[in-house]
Amino acid sequence: MSEAPPEEKAEQPAEATDTEDKPQPAPPPGEAQEPEEDEDARASASDPSKARKLHQDARAVENALAALLGERNGIGNVFVANTIGLVDAGLPRASGGGRQYLPTGPIPPEALNSVIGTFVKPADYDEIRRRLRKQWLVLLRAPTGWGRTATALHLLGLECALGVDKLSPDTDLRAPSAPIELAADRGYLLEALEFDQAAALTEFALDLWRRRLADAKARMVVVISADTPLRERELADYLVDGAPRQDHHALVHSHFRSGLRAEGRPEQDLAAFPGFTELVEEVVGRSPRATDLADLGRGLCAVVAGRSTIDDVRSRHARSAESAFREWFESLPDNEHRAFAIALGVLDGMPLAAVAEASTTLAKLIQAAERPDQRDRTRAVFAIRTLDLVAQVDAELTSAVEDSEHGSLAAEVVRYRDPHRPRKVLEHVWLQYPEAHGVVRRWLRGLGSSPDRHVRTRAGVAVGLLSLAEFDHARRLVIEPWADERKYWERQAVLGALRLPAMQPELQPLINRMIDSWLPGRKATGRRLAAVAALGSLPIMTTAQVLKRLRRAADTDEDMMIITIADSVTTLALDEDRLDLVLGALLGWTGSNQVQVRQTGLHCVLQLIVYLQVAEEGSTDPWPGLLWIADVDRRAQAEAHPVVVGSRRATRRQAVVTLIARALDAQYFMPEAFRVIRRWVTTAERDTAQLEPLGALLADVVTAIGSSHTVRAHLSEWARARRGPAEAATRLLAVLDREEIPT
């Protein structure tokens, strides 16, 4: 693998070779082999075990992100009770307090209510609100950490009763005729403004936007960084500078009280906890960012709830000591220790064996860079004991539960005592040692090809962290070469590398354009596959924009592209806020006149039928996800039609019924679809709570098909089968008898 794309090889001779002779380790026990590029799409869609793999991939990224951001308990859930999840996704994990970011599109009401409930007004808040009321559009400028996004959301949440949308990050204010449908009494947030767009922004363009907003009775806030270039005199009527915050204590108190309410505890003042006073004063005295103050309030709430200790919170908000940190790193006795420190920064909390192997590889690369003669071996195999190495870098050995392909197991892991040290180590090496860039980059490139899911994902997230300082450099030298491999493992590293940059408003437009530049064409190139995978997992476009791009990619007969599209659609469907748009898109795809689009759509439907499940209270077995969706819609008091297909609208139940009917009636998909329905019937045999909803769904499905003959034949066969779901199949046949239609 070359370190740079072909056009850069001449410019980067020192990094033109990478890991061509790098040994490929065997997959760890229980780790799945890399999917073959000729894997059958239909087999993948109908295999429930692939749902677990999809879940584990998503959780690996979340865990990697949590480790690098110092969130020891993780920062996200993929599967929780009473929401749509994945088959065999494992037990839900506690969601950490973590860093929040806003996906493009409608902002969930709970997120908006959380901001409104914890917000502390800046000194000039009333003036900003008055300006927004008067002129419909405001450019809010403030330094990073001031609380710009929270202020904008609070303003729009109070002024716009019908909710707030975050605009696509590549929205161009210089084009007032941009195809954005403005709705009455709705707010619109543009979270960042690119430098080149801001520098060229004119009063005339903003006047046109103001007219559009006034006509639609909508409002917009544009968030601008303090160092963004603007034509200040020309834009003075729209520009508002955020005043310095006067009361940092109030923000800590607000999030502390809000956290107690969320815990179901009575509200208390921080003064009731004298042990907190010193820490609060220490943190507030540094004039920190609003996000740090909010995090402190939530952390103190966790102490009261017994989920954390004051020492944990103090460590998290310890006074910055860069000089002490530099002394610690520079005091490490040799490159063996430095390599271990860097490897632990990337793989913090992973099994000791994985960290040791990665650090050995890095140490060899460092030695090769300092002593190019491969015959000059100066490293002794038994020179350093593990315990000495761990102690020297201020780390610890502990036990943790690791999730493998075949279940959970206990493992000895190594991690820094300070959960925030991993990020500090990587940033320190990157900022202070430019000669190390090429070595670390080559090492991370190699880790991105690891057969261990967690290693390759951690490598990707580490590259994403380093890319925050030089995104285009990381894109050319690491991210795109990974994508060009056209391999599943490297594709996982790409997704990990894009997660942190995708959380930065100023980088979102660049990532959008990069993905769009990867998508054109008809062949399943590595970059095209990576772009399709990223569309389902990165919150940088609206769901409609994502589905529009996936629809273009769906015109394919290549199995790897179909599998990747189906995985993206499944990931989108896990978010109930996106579910209606996903169902509407699949109704359009499966009804298309284009054969390949229709086939891809049916693959997606089959995968949703197989992969989705819901842990419903009162049931002994998880419900099939689409059955649960249809039944909830059936039992709803008011019939809603949220699923839009062209000019037609449908209920969720109608959409689910139509999609299942099309899968059962399509010759190519019929065998797999009926095997899934048999699994549903078998589950209903054990969990009778699902039997009546399943009968009602099948009755509607046969009505949609126009004939009950095939469904009846399968139910009769299952009723007669040895050890088959006889009772459930018989009762379902009775339901069809009551709902008989002419055949």
Side-chain angles (χ1 to χ4, degrees):
M1 185 192 333
S2 64
E3 179 63 15
E7 66 271 19
E8 295 186 11
K9 287 182 179 177
E11 300 176 17
Q12 305 283 344
E15 296 180 13
T17 60
D18 182 14
T19 53
E20 295 173 358
D21 58 348
K22 174 173 62 71
Q24 292 296 328
E31 179 70 82
Q33 297 289 334
E34 182 170 15
E36 296 294 334
E37 294 303 308
D38 59 354
E39 183 177 1
D40 181 76
R42 187 172 49 154
S44 175
S46 60
D47 184 356
S49 69
K50 296 299 180 71
R52 179 176 177 82
K53 178 184 70 64
L54 187 62
H55 168 84
Q56 289 176 319
D57 288 341
R59 195 160 69 184
V61 175
E62 297 304 318
N63 288 343
L65 201 62
L68 206 53
L69 296 181
E71 299 285 348
R72 283 271 160 89
N73 292 324
I75 61 172
N77 259 338
V78 178
F79 175 85
V80 292
N82 295 318
T83 59
I84 305 167
L86 293 167
V87 169
D88 196 25
L91 296 175
R93 293 189 175 185
S95 176
R99 317 280 174 134
Q100 302 299 319
Y101 59 96
L102 297 174
T104 298
I107 295 173
E110 58 271 18
L112 201 56
N113 292 336
S114 175
V115 170
I116 293 174
T118 58
F119 184 72
V120 175
K121 297 179 181 179
D124 57 348
Y125 177 84
D126 292 336
E127 170 62 14
I128 302 173
R129 187 173 182 182
R130 185 190 67 78
R131 294 275 295 272
L132 182 62
R133 282 179 172 178
K134 176 183 177 182
Q135 61 197 44
W136 308 94
L137 170 64
V138 162
L139 308 182
L140 176 58
R141 182 171 63 180
T144 300
W146 181 84
R148 301 172 304 201
T149 298
T151 301
L153 287 177
H154 192 269
L155 287 164
L156 294 171
L158 293 184
E159 294 295 326
C160 306
L162 296 185
V164 180
D165 287 358
K166 178 187 170 184
L167 295 175
S168 175
D170 55 6
T171 300
D172 194 342
L173 292 182
R174 296 168 297 183
S177 59
I180 298 174
E181 295 183 9
L182 301 175
D185 212 7
R186 195 160 185 87
Y188 297 90
L189 168 67
L190 185 58
E191 202 179 4
L193 200 60
E194 290 185 277
F195 279 24
D196 56 347
Q197 183 188 160
L201 194 58
T202 64
E203 183 181 23
F204 177 73
L206 294 184
D207 286 342
L208 294 179
W209 273 106
R210 176 180 180 177
R211 204 168 304 158
R212 279 191 66 192
L213 290 162
D215 291 344
K217 300 295 188 287
R219 302 183 192 277
M220 182 188 296
V221 175
V222 181
V223 171
I224 299 177
S225 175
D227 56 357
T228 300
L230 286 171
R231 302 177 179 182
E232 294 201 29
R233 292 184 180 179
E234 185 175 348
L235 305 181
D237 289 344
Y238 294 96
L239 185 62
V240 180
D241 284 301
R245 290 187 177 273
Q246 301 298 321
D247 192 354
H248 289 158
H249 291 83
L251 192 55
V252 179
H253 280 66
S254 175
H255 283 272
F256 177 71
R257 290 192 294 267
S258 174
L260 292 178
R261 287 197 302 271
E263 296 276 353
R265 297 173 178 270
E267 287 193 26
Q268 293 177 274
D269 196 272
L270 275 172
F273 302 91
F276 294 169
T277 303
E278 181 182 350
L279 176 58
V280 172
E281 293 301 327
E282 179 184 337
V283 174
V284 168
R286 300 179 216 144
S287 299
R289 301 179 305 170
T291 51
D292 295 329
L293 295 170
D295 188 54
L296 175 60
R298 290 191 294 266
L300 295 176
C301 176
V303 174
V304 175
R307 298 193 313 276
S308 184
T309 68
I310 189 67
D311 288 337
D312 292 336
V313 180
R314 185 180 300 278
S315 174
R316 181 180 181 86
H317 296 276
R319 183 179 298 277
S320 176
E322 289 301 322
S323 59
F325 179 82
R326 284 196 299 270
E327 289 176 8
W328 166 80
F329 188 83
E330 292 168 5
S331 69
L332 295 176
D334 52 35
N335 286 336
E336 298 283 348
H337 288 78
R338 296 185 188 96
F340 189 84
I342 296 169
L344 188 55
V346 174
L347 305 176
D348 186 72
M350 285 197 61
L352 176 61
V355 179
E357 183 176 349
S359 70
T360 299
T361 302
L362 178 57
K364 290 178 180 178
L365 289 172
I366 294 173
Q367 176 180 302
E370 294 184 346
R371 297 183 177 88
D373 187 350
Q374 296 296 319
R375 295 169 297 179
D376 183 10
R377 179 178 178 86
T378 59
R379 300 175 62 252
V381 174
F382 298 105
I384 303 174
R385 295 191 314 145
T386 297
L387 292 179
D388 294 338
L389 190 60
V390 170
Q392 188 75 40
V393 299
D394 198 20
E396 62 184 0
L397 293 173
T398 185
S399 60
V401 175
E402 289 291 305
D403 194 18
S404 74
E405 289 294 320
H406 303 298
S408 300
L409 68 159
E412 185 176 50
V413 302
V414 58
R415 66 184 189 182
Y416 281 114
R417 297 182 186 278
D418 177 2
H420 303 286
R421 181 155 290 189
R423 179 171 188 168
K424 291 181 69 175
V425 167
L426 294 178
E427 291 179 334
H428 178 72
V429 170
W430 209 247
L431 293 174
Q432 301 296 330
Y433 301 100
E435 288 290 332
H437 286 197
V439 175
V440 172
R441 190 183 299 117
R442 284 196 295 275
W443 173 67
L444 289 173
R445 279 272 304 275
L447 291 185
S449 301
S450 170
D452 187 316
R453 167 188 290 111
H454 300 286
V455 171
R456 60 181 179 258
T457 304
R458 295 291 188 95
V461 171
V463 168
L465 172 67
L466 301 180
S467 78
L468 299 183
E470 45 174 29
F471 178 77
D472 207 52
H473 202 63
R475 173 188 64 81
R476 290 184 293 104
L477 297 181
V478 184
I479 298 174
E480 287 184 343
W482 268 339
D484 290 338
E485 288 293 311
R486 198 180 180 273
K487 299 287 187 178
Y488 182 78
W489 291 346
E490 284 81 355
R491 198 150 57 243
Q492 290 301 303
V494 170
L495 295 182
L498 294 178
R499 274 303 298 272
L500 268 175
M503 294 166 64
Q504 313 303 315
E506 65 275 11
L507 290 180
Q508 289 176 354
L510 280 69
I511 297 173
N512 275 3
R513 293 176 198 132
M514 181 188 74
I515 290 174
D516 281 340
S517 73
W518 291 0
L519 279 172
R522 295 185 62 84
K523 289 189 174 297
T525 63
R527 293 191 191 187
R528 197 158 183 253
L529 288 166
V532 168
L535 286 171
S537 59
L538 299 182
I540 54 175
M541 299 182 188
T542 64
T543 308
Q545 290 172 321
V546 169
L547 291 169
K548 181 179 179 181
R549 288 164 171 80
L550 291 178
R551 165 62 178 78
R552 288 198 294 266
D555 188 9
T556 181
D557 60 357
E558 295 190 63
D559 281 349
M560 281 309 299
M561 180 60 74
I562 294 172
I563 291 170
T564 309
I565 292 170
D567 284 350
S568 283
V569 168
T570 301
T571 302
L572 293 173
L574 294 174
D575 183 349
E576 196 166 353
D577 291 334
R578 298 181 168 194
L579 181 60
D580 297 328
L581 289 171
V582 171
L583 294 176
L586 292 181
L587 286 173
W589 296 8
T590 57
S592 173
N593 292 326
Q594 294 177 269
V595 174
Q596 292 175 348
V597 173
R598 188 166 65 249
Q599 294 287 96
T600 301
L602 287 169
H603 274 100
C604 294
V605 172
L606 180 60
Q607 184 157 311
L608 293 183
I609 293 172
V610 174
Y611 283 25
L612 298 188
Q613 71 174 21
V614 174
E616 174 73 358
E617 293 180 6
S619 285
T620 59
D621 288 65
W623 285 48
L626 293 189
L627 172 62
W628 182 82
I629 291 165
D631 190 59
V632 168
D633 202 50
R634 178 175 68 101
R635 292 185 282 107
Q637 294 294 323
E639 189 175 79
H641 295 76
V643 180
V644 179
V645 191
S647 60
R648 295 177 289 113
R649 300 182 71 88
T651 66
R652 283 186 174 181
R653 181 178 181 83
Q654 290 168 341
V656 168
V657 166
T658 301
L659 292 174
I660 293 176
R662 288 176 179 174
L664 292 176
D665 202 35
Q667 183 176 0
Y668 184 69
F669 294 90
M670 185 183 297
E672 283 78 11
F674 270 107
R675 276 195 284 272
V676 178
I677 298 300
R678 174 167 181 165
R679 290 201 292 267
W680 290 12
V681 175
T682 301
T683 301
E685 178 103 340
R686 297 190 302 267
D687 181 14
T688 55
Q690 299 185 33
L691 194 54
E692 186 271 333
L694 180 56
L697 179 64
L698 288 180
D700 287 349
V701 167
V702 298
T703 300
I705 293 174
S707 170
S708 65
H709 175 75
T710 306
V711 175
R712 283 177 172 279
H714 280 86
L715 287 172
S716 298
E717 179 186 343
W718 302 337
R720 295 191 303 268
R722 186 174 178 224
R723 298 181 181 175
E727 183 179 349
T730 301
R731 291 177 63 178
L732 291 171
L733 282 167
V735 172
L736 294 185
D737 286 339
R738 293 197 304 269
E739 304 290 336
E740 183 63 56
I741 62 173
T743 59

